[in-house]
Amino acid sequence: MSGFVSTGDPLIDALLAAGLIGPFVTYSDVSASTVFLYDYLLTLSMEIDLIWRSPWNVIKIIFIIQRYLPFIDTCFLTIYRQLGKLTIAQCEILPYFNGFMYMFGLALSEILLSIRVWAIWDRNMKLAYFQAVLFVIIWSPAFYAMYAYVSSLRYANPPANLLDYRGCFIVDAKEYVLWSWVGVLLWNTVTLTFTLIHSFRSYRAGLVSGLAAVIYRDGAYFYVYLFIFSALNIVFTTTLQARI
């Protein structure tokens, strides 16, 4: 438990040592917000040309909501929960908004990716119905898992020797959020599988143009990227809990 001053409370010291409270979590959240803002600025010109100047439709609305929701749930609420001077009552309420908006934005992003899969399958209606039913089956428990996780959070006032501590001081949490990431992992597995199946069939039939090859390649890379990060979230959730 080196690297911090002992509080005299074994539980609090274990939480500090595991990095579940204190500067490490704050630095991670600030870093995530910085990366998001950097990515936003990199792609802003393309967004203006390809999205803002296009006709309004359902896909455009979904894109804009999921594009700008992180400014609230990641760049504001998460940082505010880490750095603001909050009461225990405020800390108990804030994660419900934060957790719902996070899952809602994530679900909208996955809907866009699912529409992409449906498009490369020539808008097959059987696939559309299958995706819709499976989405409800997978994402309903994922949303509930986030709700259960937020409800399990327990807060306390910081120890007296942590006078400069800001944000919500969490002293207990269940692993329910793990199942939210399992849901994301399952859905990404489904979308990746359908992308690979269609790309394999198209390559065998010699029907892949240059544009289609890029769509298949970049789509597969992106789904693999999401799969890996969902798996890492599961690993970090279980291993950090185990350390305390």
Side-chain angles (χ1 to χ4, degrees):
M1 294 185 184
S2 60
F4 65 91
V5 178
S6 175
T7 65
D9 186 320
L11 174 60
I12 303 302
D13 288 350
L15 289 167
L16 288 167
L20 297 181
I21 56 177
F24 176 76
V25 177
T26 303
Y27 297 156
S28 299
D29 290 334
V30 172
S31 298
S33 298
T34 302
V35 171
F36 167 75
L37 290 173
Y38 177 68
D39 176 75
Y40 173 78
L41 293 175
L42 284 179
T43 58
L44 180 58
S45 61
M46 290 188 294
E47 178 182 330
I48 292 173
D49 291 336
L50 302 176
I51 302 297
W52 287 104
R53 295 174 180 172
S54 66
W56 283 91
N57 53 44
V58 174
I59 295 178
K60 180 174 180 177
I61 293 173
I62 294 175
F63 174 85
I64 291 175
I65 293 175
Q66 63 86 33
R67 175 68 161 166
Y68 287 92
L69 202 57
F71 282 100
I72 301 175
D73 61 47
T74 299
C75 296
F76 176 68
L77 289 181
T78 299
I79 302 301
Y80 179 62
R81 190 160 66 97
Q82 296 292 345
L83 299 178
K85 281 291 187 179
L86 304 173
T87 65
I88 292 180
Q90 291 172 326
C91 288
E92 290 173 344
I93 295 174
L94 190 59
Y96 285 100
F97 293 97
N98 201 175
F100 173 77
M101 285 192 289
Y102 183 80
M103 290 299 296
F104 183 65
L106 192 58
L108 289 180
S109 299
E110 296 294 345
I111 287 174
L112 287 179
L113 294 176
S114 301
I115 293 174
R116 174 177 178 160
V117 173
W118 177 59
I120 66 174
W121 277 79
D122 298 321
R123 301 184 179 184
N124 185 295
M125 292 309 300
K126 291 183 179 179
L127 177 60
Y129 295 138
F130 174 78
Q131 285 180 307
V133 172
L134 192 62
F135 188 89
V136 173
I137 292 174
I138 291 178
W139 281 88
S140 295
F143 269 87
Y144 181 77
M146 178 60 74
Y147 169 79
Y149 166 71
V150 170
S151 299
S152 75
L153 296 174
R154 296 293 178 266
Y155 304 89
N157 292 314
N161 61 334
L162 295 179
L163 297 177
D164 295 330
Y165 188 88
R166 288 181 172 272
C168 297
F169 197 81
I170 303 173
V171 295
D172 189 30
K174 304 301 182 183
E175 295 183 3
Y176 301 137
V177 72
L178 165 71
W179 297 105
S180 294
W181 291 114
V182 169
V184 175
L185 187 67
L186 289 174
W187 187 255
N188 288 332
T189 301
V190 171
T191 52
L192 176 60
T193 300
F194 275 102
T195 300
L196 292 178
I197 290 175
H198 195 276
S199 62
F200 179 73
R201 289 180 176 178
S202 298
Y203 274 110
R204 288 196 63 181
L207 301 175
V208 180
S209 64
L211 177 60
V214 171
I215 293 175
Y216 289 137
R217 183 198 64 202
D218 291 354
Y221 285 163
F222 190 63
Y223 293 134
V224 169
Y225 163 84
L226 292 176
F227 182 94
I228 291 173
F229 273 83
S230 297
L232 288 176
N233 273 299
I234 294 173
V235 171
F236 291 152
T237 299
T238 54
T239 55
L240 285 176
Q241 288 286 348
R243 289 177 60 186
I244 60 172

